[in-house]
Amino acid sequence: MRVNRILLSTALVVVALVVQVSVLARLHLPGAVPDLLLLTVLALAMVYGHVAGALVGFGAGLLADLAPPADHAAGRYALVLCVIGYAAGLVKPENGRLKSATAPMLVVVGAAVGSTLLYAGVGALVGDTAARHVGLPGLLFSAALYDLLLAPFVVPAVMALARRADNDPLAETTSAAKATDISSGWLASGTGLRIGGQRGGLRTKAARARTARAGRIKGVKRL
């Protein structure tokens, strides 16, 4: 990953984790907790691709595993977000821009359901049966609903920041200068500006010729 991608991803992940732990987790909503960290990983993966999405997901999940008040084994949520980030990066278009909001919303719903199932599955493997007592269907529904309601305020903003930070200002300046030169040449050759310049030159030459002729006439009269 590039340095600007690493810096931006780290900052966004840390902010999302702080907001989720200090604000969203204390709302005490029924069912699951709105997963701002998951939405951030999804947005970055849909801009950077599946490899970067997996790396960002693993780092974000590991921070969530170590941040208090985590009550599960370290690495559990890192595995979940790594898989989710890789899968979300596969829907990235070649030009990096999505034409409609349908695909991101479907990705959000699929990621909310998939992360909940994967988290519960990994928990069952390590002996954590908390999801059974809470009710897995209720968790799936509430996770998808909360993330879907929060996604329009998070995903487009994070994707816009990622695209802006991923652009090269020097390359943009160079391409803009080339475009200006091309447009200037096109205007000069195709819109008659060069012809106007030639007309102005002819007028200047004619004025000089008249001035010279008047000088010669005055000289003749003096003689």
Side-chain angles (χ1 to χ4, degrees), residues 3 10 13 16 31-32 52 86 108 117 147 164 172 174 179 190-191 210 216:
V3 177
T10 303
V13 165
Y86 182 88
V108 169
L117 290 175
D147 292 346
R164 182 174 298 179
E172 291 181 356
T174 305
T191 59
R210 286 195 298 269
R216 287 195 299 269

Side-chain angles (χ1 to χ4, degrees), residues 160-172:
L161 288 174
R163 291 195 187 100
R164 182 174 298 179
D166 204 31
N167 291 333
D168 188 0
L170 182 60
E172 291 181 356

Side-chain angles (χ1 to χ4, degrees), residues 198-214 216:
Q198 293 176 354
R199 289 177 180 175
L202 292 176
R203 291 176 182 175
T204 303
K205 290 181 180 179
R208 290 178 181 176
R210 286 195 298 269
T211 303
R213 187 181 302 173
R216 287 195 299 269

Side-chain angles (χ1 to χ4, degrees), residues 100-193:
S100 65
T102 304
M105 292 299 102
L106 293 177
V107 171
V108 169
V109 174
V113 175
S115 62
T116 304
L117 290 175
L118 186 58
Y119 186 82
V122 175
L125 293 177
V126 297
D128 184 3
T129 59
R132 297 180 182 178
H133 301 288
V134 176
L136 187 57
L139 284 177
L140 294 175
F141 177 78
S142 59
L145 179 61
Y146 296 153
D147 292 346
L148 192 60
L149 293 176
L150 190 61
F153 304 98
V154 177
V155 176
V158 174
M159 292 181 70
L161 288 174
R163 291 195 187 100
R164 182 174 298 179
D166 204 31
N167 291 333
D168 188 0
L170 182 60
E172 291 181 356
T173 304
T174 305
S175 61
K178 291 181 179 179
T180 303
D181 294 338
I182 293 173
S183 61
S184 300
W186 179 81
L187 288 173
S189 61
T191 59
L193 295 180

Side-chain angles (χ1 to χ4, degrees), residues 75-101:
R76 181 176 170 184
Y77 201 51
L79 174 61
V80 173
L81 286 188
C82 181
V83 175
I84 295 299
Y86 182 88
L90 296 177
V91 304
K92 173 194 173 185
E94 295 182 358
N95 58 357
R97 296 184 179 274
L98 298 170
K99 297 181 179 180
S100 65

Side-chain angles (χ1 to χ4, degrees), residues 28-102:
H28 301 291
L29 298 174
V33 176
D35 201 338
L36 184 60
L37 194 61
L38 173 66
L39 297 178
T40 303
V41 171
L42 292 179
L44 293 173
M46 286 188 286
V47 176
Y48 294 152
H50 57 282
V51 176
L55 294 176
V56 173
F58 179 81
L62 189 60
L63 287 178
D65 289 332
L66 299 177
D71 56 353
H72 55 270
R76 181 176 170 184
Y77 201 51
L79 174 61
V80 173
L81 286 188
C82 181
V83 175
I84 295 299
Y86 182 88
L90 296 177
V91 304
K92 173 194 173 185
E94 295 182 358
N95 58 357
R97 296 184 179 274
L98 298 170
K99 297 181 179 180
S100 65
T102 304

